[in-house]
Amino acid sequence: MKVLVVEDEPRLAEALVQLLRDGGWEADTAADGPAGLALARAGGYGAAVLDVMLPGLDGFGVCRALREEGNPLPILMLTARSGVPDKVEGLDCGADDYMTKPFAPEELLARLRALTRRQGQGEPPAPQGLAFADLRLDPSARSLHREGKSVQLSPKEFELLRLLMGRAGAVCPKGEILDRLWGGAEDNNLEAYISFLRKKFFYLGSRASIATLRKVGYRLDDPDRPA
Ligand code: CA
């Protein structure tokens, strides 16, 4: 499988290519946003590692352009910036995962494996119309519905909510979520995704909520059906 690396620092790009080779992947590189976008559009990649600060068009712009065209390429955003607004923008523009530099090489490989696994075969099809409380999840459109209202979910938000809904109100352990969504890598983005989902519940006016059980996991709550 081939990975697209879009990174304008030559030494880092080279290190990424070497790392990917060690991990058993082939890699192509692009040194600016427009070149990266052109290669991604041409296709043939199992995933992309996308830097945020790029000449021509930044990583957010590349990602957004691909998603607007309906391109499902799994994207791991990589950046030196670690501010929460950047993280939120990265995820909102359709990236599947986000890592800040400096990163641990093994973690990057683990996350790429998780991304490409989800994209590929192996993943069992989601049961149609998963529902909880007044919410209904549409796996084909990756959207969340309540009465006449609906909202689009990012790939990660969808996987996370599907896991939680699959528990039908029981606790979903944090370790299992990290295993399933991030290939076992410890990840502090999980709390951010939970908060994105909470905002979407709020937007839909749902009565459902997500409870955080410190050091244990997360649970969907329905006030009309106390646990
Ligand atoms: Ca850069």
Side-chain angles (χ1 to χ4, degrees), residues 30-216:
D32 62 48
L37 184 56
L39 282 176
R41 279 174 173 156
Y45 299 101
V49 177
L50 189 56
D51 188 26
V52 169
M53 300 295 281
L54 290 167
L57 177 66
D58 71 13
F60 298 134
V62 173
C63 191
R64 204 170 284 122
L66 289 171
R67 295 303 185 240
E68 279 168 10
E69 293 162 12
N71 191 317
L73 177 68
I75 293 173
L76 173 65
M77 294 277 253
L78 199 57
T79 179
R81 305 195 289 181
S82 60
V84 169
D86 281 350
K87 213 173 244 187
V88 170
E89 185 172 0
L91 298 171
D92 275 356
C93 80
D96 299 279
D97 203 356
Y98 195 105
M99 281 184 84
T100 50
K101 301 173 194 170
F103 55 86
E106 315 75 54
E107 187 182 352
L108 183 125
L109 290 178
R111 291 195 191 206
L112 272 180
R113 278 195 298 273
L115 279 186
T116 53
R117 245 202 321 274
R118 273 199 305 282
Q119 181 75 0
Q121 49 307 3
E123 184 78 356
Q128 285 298 313
L130 268 172
F132 184 85
D134 51 2
L135 293 171
R136 188 175 55 79
L137 192 59
D138 178 351
S140 55
R142 216 204 301 127
S143 53
L144 184 63
H145 301 255
R146 177 184 169 267
E147 292 170 5
K149 238 173 159 183
S150 72
V151 66
Q152 192 66 37
L153 300 180
S154 74
K156 211 73 151 192
E157 290 167 351
F158 172 78
E159 294 294 339
L160 179 55
L161 185 54
R162 189 168 66 160
L163 260 183
L164 292 172
M165 279 188 169
R167 291 306 165 105
V171 178
C172 191
K174 191 176 173 191
E176 185 180 329
I177 298 174
L178 293 174
D179 272 356
R180 294 280 296 273
L181 273 75
W182 281 276
E186 185 58 39
D187 197 295
N188 54 17
N189 289 347
L190 174 55
E191 190 58 42
Y193 282 102
I194 292 284
S195 86
F196 296 156
L197 284 177
R198 284 181 177 134
K199 282 184 191 133
K200 290 186 174 175
F201 286 14
F202 180 77
Y203 167 79
L204 292 172
S206 173
R207 66 173 191 266
S209 60
I210 303 174
T212 303
L213 290 93
R214 268 179 65 80
K215 297 186 175 165
V216 179

